[in-house]
Amino acid sequence: MVKTNDEIVLKGEIEQAVYKTQPLVEYENNPFIEALPPIFTEDDILEHFMLTPRISQQDKESEANIRYHVLKRIKNFIQPLPLHFELERRLSTLIRRGYLARNPLDKTFFQRIRLLHELREDEKQAHKYIDDRLNYIRSTADSLSIIGISGIGKTTAIERLLLMYPQVIKHESYKAQMFNRTQITWLKIDCPYDGSLSTLCKSFFKAIDDLLGTHYLEKFGYFNRITSTMLLYMTSLASLYGIGILVIDEIQHLANSKNEHEEMLNFFVTLSNTVGIPTVLIGTSKAQQLFKGNFRQARRAASDGSIFWDRMAEDSEEWEFFLETLWNIQCFKRVYRIN
């Protein structure tokens, strides 16, 4: 985690590209996919995800005032549950399938780059026809929404899963050919409190600047730029850096916006269809109102479905398993079981 002026920005590792043999034919001959870690197994998720604070016998024998502080270690406890495994599979698939139509070796990739350059030459008018011009270029990007009560662990889960992937991958050569590219596997930004789509676009530029030391916010995000024009530059950067997935947290703040909900949904659909980035939208139950009304647009804005993260059911196997694991790290001096 790296602290900036306004927020805590999640930052992952930077690695040199190492290309792996792919288990699926559709993932072959795509350097953006081949440079990713192998598809994770459940054991991989357990190893990287589970976090159990250590409480020694000496801790348990300490005085009450000391044990009170020891007890706070429980805040770091993370137990992988079935929902975490489902979320990892969704995330893994979103990233890889999003790259299928953005293979940097494919001729359509260069068509997109050329078209974006032409649109940027006519910036003042481009926002009027950008969708029509890019519409014929295939997109395989899907989107997912994660909705749940505040504090249940949505953000913690997605951040730990993202950190299993290097955030930046440096490419130099691929199959004995020069291939000099910087790939951003994932970006995570928070939705601004006022729900402004313009500010959301600027957060995108700032996230790249914080990661790579660039100056895109200064260059593309000044105050009189309209949202659709900034989307054009987001599209260019998404293509340039091969951004694998964009996670937008706290989307319930969009309910505070003066924009119409349909306009917001169109924005997210454009992110996937035009910009070509798979998106994950995370919010509290308040965010559900954003997906009401225009069902067709709501379905397109969450094309890979929604995950509703609720409390564990009382007396469920999941709840019993969670409590048993939690019980093993208690810090009482003596434990009495009541039958």
Side-chain angles (χ1 to χ4, degrees):
M1 298 278 200
V2 177
K3 186 174 178 57
T4 64
N5 295 334
D6 306 306
E7 58 185 337
I8 298 294
V9 177
L10 185 71
K11 293 188 73 172
E13 298 293 328
I14 299 176
E15 295 183 358
Q16 290 295 127
V18 177
Y19 305 109
K20 294 97 179 170
T21 302
Q22 296 301 302
L24 300 178
V25 65
E26 60 264 37
Y27 294 163
E28 294 176 350
N29 301 312
N30 187 324
F32 284 164
I33 296 178
E34 291 185 6
L36 296 173
I39 297 174
F40 297 118
T41 65
E42 290 192 358
D43 286 342
D44 293 328
I45 301 166
L46 283 171
E47 180 182 347
H48 288 84
F49 202 90
M50 189 166 185
L51 187 59
T52 305
R54 182 177 179 273
I55 299 178
S56 67
Q57 189 61 38
Q58 182 180 347
D59 292 329
K60 295 180 181 181
E61 296 298 329
S62 301
E63 295 302 316
N65 61 324
I66 301 299
R67 283 187 288 118
Y68 182 83
H69 289 260
V70 173
L71 187 63
K72 295 302 178 181
R73 294 178 189 170
I74 205 67
K75 288 182 173 288
N76 298 324
F77 172 64
I78 300 177
Q79 171 63 57
L81 297 169
L83 193 56
H84 295 120
F85 293 105
E86 178 187 352
L87 182 55
E88 189 283 326
R89 286 192 292 268
R90 296 280 196 98
L91 193 69
S92 174
T93 308
L94 283 172
I95 293 174
R96 287 171 171 81
R97 291 200 59 78
Y99 279 136
L100 291 180
R102 292 185 295 147
N103 187 338
L105 304 181
D106 193 274
K107 64 179 182 179
T108 59
F109 179 86
F110 298 101
Q111 289 175 357
R112 178 188 287 263
I113 296 294
R114 185 174 63 252
L115 181 54
L116 289 171
H117 178 74
E118 293 173 359
L119 290 169
R120 287 171 61 175
E121 291 293 311
D122 188 23
E123 177 187 315
K124 293 183 179 179
Q125 300 296 321
H127 67 277
K128 297 179 180 179
Y129 50 83
I130 179 174
D131 288 343
D132 292 335
R133 293 288 302 275
L134 289 174
N135 189 50
Y136 76 94
I137 297 180
R138 185 173 67 105
S139 172
T140 52
D142 283 319
S143 51
L144 170 70
S145 66
I146 305 171
I147 307 297
I149 60 175
S150 180
I152 203 167
K154 304 180 299 296
T155 299
T156 299
I158 198 71
E159 287 183 348
R160 290 191 72 83
L161 291 173
L162 288 174
L163 288 172
M164 292 174 69
Y165 294 82
Q167 188 173 14
V168 177
I169 301 175
K170 299 282 189 177
H171 300 260
E172 294 181 356
S173 64
Y174 179 74
K175 295 186 176 180
Q177 299 293 320
M178 182 177 291
F179 182 69
N180 191 7
R181 284 198 174 276
T182 297
Q183 174 186 358
I184 298 177
T185 306
W186 54 266
L187 277 181
K188 180 180 177 294
I189 61 178
D190 287 344
C191 186
Y193 186 77
D194 62 0
S196 164
L197 296 179
S198 174
T199 306
L200 188 64
C201 293
K202 293 174 185 177
S203 296
F204 176 88
F205 298 136
K206 185 177 185 298
I208 296 179
D209 290 343
D210 290 342
L211 187 59
L212 302 180
T214 48
H215 302 281
Y216 293 121
L217 176 60
E218 179 183 342
K219 188 176 181 180
F220 300 143
Y222 48 82
F223 72 96
N224 62 343
R225 273 256 164 82
I226 60 176
T227 303
S228 55
T229 302
M230 284 192 283
L231 266 173
L232 171 60
Y233 287 98
M234 289 174 69
T235 306
S236 296
L237 294 178
S239 297
L240 176 64
Y241 292 115
I243 298 175
I245 197 164
L246 175 64
V247 177
I248 305 175
D249 204 353
E250 308 290 357
I251 63 165
Q252 70 275 4
H253 291 164
L254 289 174
N256 301 327
S257 173
K258 297 178 182 179
N259 302 81
E260 294 294 328
H261 289 180
E262 187 167 342
E263 181 182 350
M264 299 174 195
L265 291 177
N266 282 332
F267 178 84
F268 292 129
V269 170
T270 300
L271 277 179
S272 291
N273 291 355
T274 302
V275 181
I277 310 177
T279 54
V280 176
L281 311 176
I282 307 175
T284 64
S285 302
K286 185 180 178 182
Q288 284 184 275
Q289 64 183 280
L290 299 172
F291 298 95
K292 294 179 180 178
N294 190 328
F295 176 77
R296 182 170 176 270
Q297 286 296 87
R299 182 170 54 83
R300 291 176 64 196
S303 57
D304 198 45
S306 300
I307 293 177
F308 293 95
W309 201 317
D310 205 353
R311 300 172 181 87
M312 286 179 273
E314 185 179 3
D315 296 329
S316 65
E317 289 185 10
E318 185 179 56
W319 176 242
E320 292 293 332
F321 176 68
F322 179 81
L323 285 183
E324 286 177 8
T325 309
L326 192 60
W327 179 261
N328 292 330
I329 54 176
Q330 54 78 27
C331 61
F332 295 112
K333 284 187 176 182
R334 295 176 181 81
V335 178
Y336 301 95
R337 289 188 180 273
I338 300 176
N339 296 325

